[in-house]
Amino acid sequence: MAKPRKHIKVTYSTLGSPDPLLHEYFEEDVADLKNNLGARYQMLINGEWVDGAGTFENRSPINTDWLLGVFPRASSGQVNQAVAAAKAAFPAWRDTPWAERCALLNRVADLISERLFEISAAVSMEIGKNRLEAIGDVEETADLIRYCVDAMKDNQGFDRQLLSESDQHVNRSVLKPYGVWGVIGPFNFPAALTGGPTGAALIAGNTVVLKPAAEGSLTACLIAQCVADAGVPAGVFNMLLGGDEPGMALTVHSDLAGLTFTGSYDVGMSIIKSFSTAAGYYRPVIAEMGGKNPTIVSAKADLDKAALGIMRSAFGLTGQKCSACSRVYVDAAVKDEFLGKLVDLAADVQVGDPTDADTYMGPIISESAYHSYQRYIEELGGSQILAGGETLDMGPGYFVAPTVVTDLPDDHRLWQHEMFAPIVAVRGVDSPDEAMRLANGVALGLTAGFYSEDAAEVEWFLDNIEAGVLYVNRATGATTGAWPGYQSFGGWKGSTGSNKAAGSWYYLQQYMREQSHTIVR
């Protein structure tokens, strides 16, 4: 349970100059977690904490000798049990006044904030996220829930009057929940991208079955405990654990009314194509399917700002953000100067244990990702690797070097492939139009960045780039760093299943369907 502590309000902005107590609290909870290595955890089905059909271990990518916990593996029968529990709980939850649902979810958000450092210690140790980014991930979870609560309140439950033919007619539009909603979460934001969609679905009146990424199981268990402790009724929220099998069983379940998925393009597109087919009619999928995010650097850019923003977005979370910058198109006239600055910054990146205060880049997530990084480096072939390009011997963990590459051929697959690794490719361009053509020449369109001190060039970029989240002249991150209420976050093209963004005006409504009422008195 959370210790009595001073409340520290966290956003990505305040993380730039944190309260010194933030570090003290975080280090205390890291020590507590290290003292509790190897603990056994359970799933939550119909209000009961239960074991699975088998177990799996979660070991830290920082040090594989650290056994973070032993977790249950859900069977197909337990998937059915969780969906059945959510289906049985739906009518009463749907009929609970929206203000009461909002109050309960506000309590969930408050508990997440109260347990901020306990949960962020888990995020850092099981994902390899540095302490400030881990703390941001957890507080963002609470703020995503609060943002959806505010959206429900601002729209008075989405019950609105329409025009009427006469005083005898009452016409209105009502948004109502779908039913049982599945949430499939990714490893890289194990708090925000499990707790955020779960909160939205519950606020809207759906019941939820959550299946987090196996690598984020500890974080998910701590978030689930917040939901249970807030008093959300049994069956309204359920959590399954395991590898791909429980997730696959959930996505094809006929009693699932809707689904939120965050993950790769290939898996997301497969789910979108098959989800409706299983039911015989349309079922909504809110999908965020990654990015291959470009940054354009003009000859009129502040190159110091550009290099810093690109470094932070390319190497934050070891390049494993769907919003990570992996492509840079820089005016040929300033390419060499820009590259010199970026390479110097890459060389200064502190790689190591992400729970340490001075570390910027922790390990890559797993042994398979570690080997993928090595294969990408081999594929770069005759290109110039100006920084990095190697694995790092830092004990029994998965550490790799931040990598800057240039002279990558235009037909090379790594211009198109989302690597989820700390590798950024830089190409010189002869004109802004060439930069835009290359930037838009991929199937994905999540985030994009631009650097120029010329106002006309900024408007040109905003008018022509094909991505859902745009940043201009941002030193804190060229393509990364959205926060609920400050930046909406959602993609275009192959990066999305709905073309709506989280943390903005249109997200919560996706968890409800419209019904028209006409009553003649």
Side-chain angles (χ1 to χ4, degrees):
M1 299 300 292
K3 307 175 181 70
R5 287 170 169 171
K6 171 188 172 183
H7 174 69
I8 302 175
K9 176 59 182 173
V10 173
T11 69
Y12 277 135
S13 296
T14 60
L15 284 173
S17 53
D19 187 317
L21 284 173
L22 177 147
H23 294 289
E24 179 183 325
Y25 294 163
F26 179 83
E27 288 167 5
E28 288 176 355
D29 285 350
V30 167
D32 285 349
L33 181 53
K34 287 182 177 179
N35 288 333
N36 197 38
L37 294 178
R40 301 183 74 89
Y41 296 87
Q42 294 179 303
M43 301 181 292
L44 184 63
I45 299 177
N46 201 24
E48 299 289 335
W49 293 98
V50 300
D51 294 325
T55 61
F56 65 97
E57 295 181 348
N58 248 13
R59 293 184 176 272
S60 175
I62 306 167
N63 184 330
T64 55
D65 290 340
W66 297 347
L67 174 60
L68 297 177
V70 178
F71 297 88
R73 190 183 306 276
S75 67
S76 58
Q78 288 175 312
V79 174
N80 291 335
Q81 290 171 17
V83 174
K87 185 176 181 180
F90 172 66
W93 184 246
R94 174 199 62 201
D95 295 341
T96 300
W98 62 263
E100 293 182 22
R101 296 199 302 265
C102 286
L104 273 173
L105 270 297
N106 259 338
R107 178 60 181 150
V108 173
D110 289 345
L111 286 173
I112 291 170
S113 292
E114 288 174 19
R115 301 171 188 179
L116 171 63
F117 300 100
E118 175 191 3
I119 303 172
S120 59
V123 171
S124 188
M125 288 184 66
E126 74 175 344
I127 303 303
K129 192 173 283 197
N130 74 39
R131 66 167 62 182
L132 295 183
E133 292 225 42
I135 291 166
D137 185 351
V138 178
E139 189 64 20
E140 184 181 10
T141 311
D143 274 4
L144 283 166
I145 295 171
R146 294 184 183 111
Y147 198 84
C148 288
V149 165
D150 289 345
M152 200 71 168
K153 290 179 177 178
D154 290 345
N155 290 278
Q156 289 297 294
F158 295 94
D159 186 335
R160 294 182 174 178
Q161 293 295 120
L162 298 171
L163 296 175
S164 295
E165 303 93 310
S166 71
D167 292 342
Q168 294 179 310
H169 293 77
V170 177
N171 299 326
R172 64 177 183 162
S173 166
V174 181
L175 295 189
K176 292 188 173 182
Y178 282 89
V180 181
W181 199 277
V183 176
I184 307 290
F187 80 83
N188 59 342
F189 282 82
L193 294 181
T194 56
T198 292
L202 292 174
I203 290 162
N206 301 286
T207 53
V208 168
V209 179
L210 167 66
K211 164 56 181 70
E215 298 91 339
S217 296
L218 176 55
T219 302
C221 286
L222 297 176
I223 297 290
Q225 190 67 61
C226 292
V227 178
D229 290 349
V232 172
V236 170
F237 169 76
N238 307 270
M239 181 192 65
L240 302 168
L241 298 174
D244 293 338
E245 293 81 3
M248 292 172 62
L250 183 61
T251 62
V252 299
H253 203 290
S254 60
D255 283 338
L256 213 63
L259 178 70
T260 299
F261 168 82
T262 308
S264 72
Y265 171 81
D266 289 340
V267 174
M269 288 301 298
S270 174
I271 290 172
I272 290 170
K273 291 174 182 176
S274 64
F275 195 61
S276 291
T277 304
Y281 56 86
Y282 173 74
R283 293 186 294 174
V285 179
I286 301 171
E288 193 267 277
M289 298 177 287
K292 187 65 182 173
N293 309 297
T295 298
I296 297 174
V297 181
S298 163
K300 299 176 182 178
D302 179 328
L303 297 183
D304 289 314
K305 189 186 295 181
L308 183 59
I310 288 165
M311 181 279 290
R312 287 173 168 164
S313 285
F315 305 138
L317 187 54
T318 321
Q320 296 169 119
K321 297 179 183 178
C322 51
S323 55
C325 178
S326 61
R327 301 181 291 146
V328 178
Y329 302 106
V330 56
D331 191 291
V334 296
K335 177 189 174 187
D336 290 344
E337 183 181 359
F338 166 78
L339 271 173
K341 294 176 183 295
L342 181 60
V343 168
D344 286 346
L345 289 172
D348 288 340
V349 170
Q350 183 69 36
V351 181
D353 183 340
T355 66
D356 293 341
D358 294 333
T359 296
Y360 184 76
M361 196 176 99
I364 207 161
I365 186 63
S366 64
E367 183 178 10
S368 62
Y370 183 75
H371 291 315
S372 291
Y373 171 89
Q374 293 173 303
R375 288 194 296 271
Y376 296 143
I377 297 303
E378 291 174 1
E379 284 187 51
L380 294 175
S383 306
Q384 286 186 279
I385 297 176
L386 303 181
E390 59 188 348
T391 58
L392 303 177
D393 185 6
M394 304 182 73
Y398 302 121
F399 293 92
V400 300
T403 300
V404 178
V405 61
T406 189
D407 299 333
L408 188 65
D410 285 348
D411 61 353
H412 200 290
R413 82 176 188 102
L414 295 187
W415 284 116
Q416 304 280 327
H417 176 69
E418 185 182 29
M419 292 176 282
F420 250 49
I423 301 171
V424 61
V426 179
R427 184 195 191 281
V429 292
D430 294 324
S431 70
D433 288 341
E434 182 184 19
M436 187 61 69
R437 175 180 60 81
L438 293 167
N440 287 338
V442 299
L444 301 175
L446 185 56
T447 70
F450 184 62
Y451 291 90
S452 173
E453 300 301 311
D454 183 282
E457 287 190 342
V458 169
E459 289 305 312
W460 163 84
F461 169 77
L462 297 174
D463 287 343
N464 289 279
I465 193 70
E466 296 173 357
V469 187
L470 310 181
Y471 302 99
V472 176
N473 294 328
R474 198 159 180 259
T476 54
T479 61
T480 55
W483 194 270
Y486 293 85
Q487 294 90 17
S488 57
F489 190 82
W492 285 18
K493 302 193 295 189
S495 292
T496 181
S498 67
N499 290 285
K500 298 292 191 298
S504 188
W505 310 111
Y506 313 109
Y507 181 70
L508 183 60
Q509 296 93 310
Q510 298 176 96
Y511 292 87
M512 296 174 278
R513 49 189 171 180
E514 188 170 12
Q515 191 173 67
S516 174
H517 295 177
T518 293
I519 302 170
V520 182
R521 291 171 175 164

